[in-house]
Amino acid sequence: MICNKCGGKSKIVDTVNVADDNETYRKHKCINCGRVFYTTEFEIEPDNLYIDNWYDNYRKKKEKENV
């Protein structure tokens, strides 16, 4: 993951899994500047609206045609 302060690479220094909520929390530390930041991961049930939004905003339209 990229540090949003300096643009350097970060490494994961801690991970917490919450099985009840199906969530994962990660603590990252930037290798360049030492900044610490956290991320959350969670599962969703993708529907057509989500998939269309994902491809329109984050992926090339060509990839959508191959699905």
Side-chain angles (χ1 to χ4, degrees):
M1 181 163 263
I2 303 297
C3 174
N4 62 1
K5 181 177 179 185
C6 75
K9 291 185 178 183
S10 67
K11 63 180 180 177
I12 297 171
V13 294
D14 194 15
T15 300
V16 176
N17 294 312
V18 181
D20 293 343
D21 296 331
N22 203 18
E23 293 180 341
T24 302
Y25 300 91
R26 299 191 195 280
K27 179 180 178 181
H28 300 259
K29 185 172 183 178
C30 179
I31 296 168
N32 282 348
C33 68
R35 181 172 191 259
V36 175
F37 58 97
Y38 300 84
T39 59
T40 304
E41 297 176 19
F42 54 91
E43 260 187 67
I44 64 163
E45 289 294 328
D47 58 10
N48 288 337
L49 180 61
Y50 174 82
I51 293 169
D52 288 343
N53 187 19
W54 172 260
Y55 280 103
D56 291 345
N57 292 299
Y58 302 107
R59 297 289 177 221
K60 298 175 187 171
K61 291 185 181 193
K62 184 176 182 181
E63 290 179 1
K64 184 178 179 181
E65 296 168 0
N66 294 330
V67 172

